[in-house]
Amino acid sequence: MSNIKLQYAEPQNMPFIKECIERFRLDDEDMDYRQFVVAVEKNEIVGFGRIRPHKEVYELGCVGVVEHKRNHGIGKMIVKHLINIFPSNVVYITTDLIDYFKRLGFKRIEHGPKELVEKLQRVCKSKCREGAVVMVYRKARKSEDKL
Ligand SMILES: CC(C)(COP(=O)(O)OP(=O)(O)OC[C@H]1O[C@@H](n2cnc3c(N)ncnc32)[C@H](O)[C@@H]1OP(=O)(O)O)[C@@H](O)C(=O)NCCC(=O)NCCS
């Protein structure tokens, strides 16, 4: 793992990220390179994830690891990094990988923010990812839970 570096994405990384997002059936809305971090090994992108700003909340999402590098902890590394740099203490995610994110400390919530519930209905249906839910990870509170 020490040979993997996490860094902010650059504009030229986006074609590769977009191709993976399409293949992995991830959220392809509102994609801006400044939202993404990439995991790089030997000058190649092996994974990525983003913090997507909505109107009232931020969402951790689009976590993807290239197929031949899965199950080596890269996904976990990306999620932990995004949690660390997350701009609010409440980290939302919409996902159908409920058990995966439970192990990373996320809890399922029944009533997520309206804009995330709407996104779930819109994106998860179009990507055939039925069964997706809103989950939340609460960082140690500094002051406010809101943006
Ligand atoms: C989900 C994903 C990011 C995980 O990345 P990864 O680097 O392979 O995951 P990690 O190495 O951090 O974790 C591996 C562990 O998670 C488990 N795991 C992997 N996929 C899982 C899944 N779909 N559901 C539950 N657990 C899963 C593995 O069994 C492994 O368990 P172990 O530590 O006991 O051996 C990767 O499989 C991926 O890119 N999937 C396609 C994109 C996707 O669906 N992203 C999530 C969208 S919200």
Side-chain angles (χ1 to χ4, degrees):
M1 291 305 283
S2 55
N3 48 355
I4 294 183
K5 289 196 170 47
L6 284 168
Q7 58 197 52
Y8 283 104
E10 294 178 358
Q12 63 268 28
N13 300 146
M14 290 314 287
F16 179 78
I17 291 174
K18 284 181 177 172
E19 201 181 284
C20 292
I21 281 180
E22 171 91 5
R23 191 164 78 246
F24 302 165
R25 293 183 292 121
L26 299 175
D27 174 9
D28 59 1
E29 290 185 346
D30 179 31
M31 284 200 282
D32 184 311
Y33 77 94
R34 284 164 292 200
Q35 300 170 1
F36 283 85
V37 297
V38 286
V40 178
E41 184 181 40
K42 295 183 192 144
N43 283 327
E44 284 190 8
I45 295 176
V46 291
F48 54 83
R50 71 163 158 167
I51 298 173
R52 179 179 172 187
H54 291 271
K55 289 198 184 76
E56 294 181 12
V57 295
Y58 293 97
E59 178 190 14
L60 187 159
C62 284
V63 183
V65 174
V66 294
E67 290 86 343
H68 64 285
K69 289 287 175 182
R70 289 187 184 166
N71 294 314
H72 289 91
I74 299 172
K76 182 178 178 178
M77 192 179 167
I78 294 167
V79 173
K80 286 194 155 187
H81 179 71
L82 289 171
I83 289 173
N84 278 337
I85 62 170
F86 214 74
S88 68
N89 293 328
V90 182
V91 182
Y92 289 107
I93 187 161
T94 56
T95 184
D96 55 357
L97 301 188
I98 300 166
D99 290 340
Y100 180 76
F101 285 98
K102 255 188 198 163
R103 288 170 62 180
L104 294 175
F106 287 79
K107 289 197 169 72
R108 184 178 173 173
I109 49 171
E110 291 304 326
H111 303 287
K114 189 167 174 274
E115 57 187 343
L116 290 188
V117 173
E118 284 170 3
K119 191 218 96 165
L120 257 186
Q121 287 162 354
R122 201 170 57 239
V123 178
C124 298
K125 282 216 171 87
S126 75
K127 297 282 172 181
C128 299
R129 295 198 79 137
E130 311 279 335
V133 299
V134 181
M135 298 183 82
V136 70
Y137 177 101
R138 291 179 195 280
K139 296 201 313 182
R141 283 184 65 165
K142 289 192 192 107
S143 51
E144 272 290 303
D145 266 355
K146 289 183 179 166
L147 296 183

